[in-house]
Amino acid sequence: MIIRGLKFVPDDTMLNFIGVRFVAFALSALIVLGSIGTMATQGLNFGIDFSGGTLIEIRTTDIPDISDLRAELNDLDLGNVSIQEFGQPNDLLIRLPQQRAGDGQDVSDVQNAAIQTVRETLDGKFAETGIDYRRVEYVGPQVGEELKQAGLISMIAALIGILIYVTFRFEWQFGVASIVALAHDAIATLGLFAITQMEFNLSTVAALLMI
């Protein structure tokens, strides 16, 4: 490769990729097995899209103290309430986990009561400066389960579609090899999410489909 008269790679360069194939196979097997084991034991940190819960987007006049607000909302005993900036420093995204309903209680009623509690706390917190509720989205647990199934089906369908196309266009050996390579990358990515416990949501599924 020559760029503007500079040669970075000598003409007689030889890299023995095939010679280290068994090392690469062992490393890939270790990554795949480790990812599967981590997902089986630790699991994925499913976001509201899959586990159910409420997403509240707010805009405040002044830049709020996120750590102080997070501590105040978590004191409401509503589970692990997460807060993050969403665009501007005064735009916040509040994630409220799915609330457990007791005997004779409706899940939606319990969740609505939790939302109302959070709103009252926020209204009191920003009573002087004001607060704007941009959106409040609720995802029920049943919808979350349906999204899990739809995400899994979409990934399997994508793999099968690629297998059929490559087999028809080239040879079946190439189709199988491409599916194994894609499955390897997808499983490794899922393992990374299981190890780091980063939130797994619909955007993650879209990223996996792109991989």
Side-chain angles (χ1 to χ4, degrees), residues 56-60 64 66 69 83-86 88-94 126:
I56 304 175
E57 181 185 347
I58 63 173
R59 169 172 289 181
T60 60
I66 296 181
L69 181 60
I83 305 175
Q84 66 184 73
E85 291 184 1
F86 186 71
Q88 301 298 323
N90 60 333
D91 289 338
L92 300 180
L93 204 60
I94 302 172
F126 302 100

Side-chain angles (χ1 to χ4, degrees), residues 70-98:
R70 182 183 293 113
E72 192 166 339
L73 292 180
N74 280 311
D75 287 341
L76 298 177
D77 196 24
L78 298 175
N80 185 21
V81 180
S82 65
I83 305 175
Q84 66 184 73
E85 291 184 1
F86 186 71
Q88 301 298 323
N90 60 333
D91 289 338
L92 300 180
L93 204 60
I94 302 172
R95 299 177 186 271
L96 183 65
Q98 177 68 43

Side-chain angles (χ1 to χ4, degrees), residues 2 8 90 124 146 153 177 200:
I2 301 177
F8 293 98
N90 60 333
E146 292 175 357
I153 292 173
F200 190 89

Side-chain angles (χ1 to χ4, degrees), residues 31 53 70 77 98 100 196 211:
I31 292 174
R70 182 183 293 113
D77 196 24
Q98 177 68 43
R100 294 184 179 181
T196 61
I211 293 175

Side-chain angles (χ1 to χ4, degrees), residues 44-192:
L44 295 170
N45 179 24
F46 289 109
I48 290 177
D49 296 332
F50 297 113
S51 61
T54 303
L55 191 68
I56 304 175
E57 181 185 347
I58 63 173
R59 169 172 289 181
T60 60
T61 303
D62 299 330
I63 298 178
D65 186 342
I66 296 181
S67 59
D68 180 62
L69 181 60
R70 182 183 293 113
E72 192 166 339
L73 292 180
N74 280 311
D75 287 341
L76 298 177
D77 196 24
L78 298 175
N80 185 21
V81 180
S82 65
I83 305 175
Q84 66 184 73
E85 291 184 1
F86 186 71
Q88 301 298 323
N90 60 333
D91 289 338
L92 300 180
L93 204 60
I94 302 172
R95 299 177 186 271
L96 183 65
Q98 177 68 43
Q99 303 298 302
R100 294 184 179 181
D103 296 336
Q105 290 182 312
D106 185 73
V107 176
S108 60
D109 291 339
V110 176
Q111 195 72 18
N112 288 331
I115 296 173
Q116 185 61 31
T117 301
V118 171
R119 294 192 62 154
E120 290 175 356
T121 303
L122 293 174
D123 290 338
K125 181 77 172 177
F126 302 100
E128 296 181 0
T129 58
I131 182 174
D132 178 26
Y133 292 92
R134 311 300 296 274
R135 59 173 168 147
V136 178
E137 298 178 357
Y138 169 63
V139 179
Q142 181 61 37
V143 176
E145 288 297 324
E146 292 175 357
L147 290 175
K148 283 183 186 178
Q149 297 177 4
L152 179 62
I153 292 173
S154 63
M155 291 183 61
I156 295 176
L159 290 174
I160 294 176
I162 294 172
L163 175 62
I164 294 174
Y165 170 75
V166 176
T167 301
F168 174 77
R169 182 64 179 81
F170 301 99
E171 297 179 11
W172 69 268
Q173 295 95 330
F174 297 106
V176 172
S178 64
I179 292 302
V180 171
L182 290 172
H184 168 275
D185 295 343
I187 292 173
T189 304
L190 289 172
L192 177 64

Side-chain angles (χ1 to χ4, degrees), residues 29-39 191 195:
L30 180 63
I31 292 174
V32 170
L33 293 177
S35 298
I36 294 175
T38 305
M39 286 188 289
I195 293 173

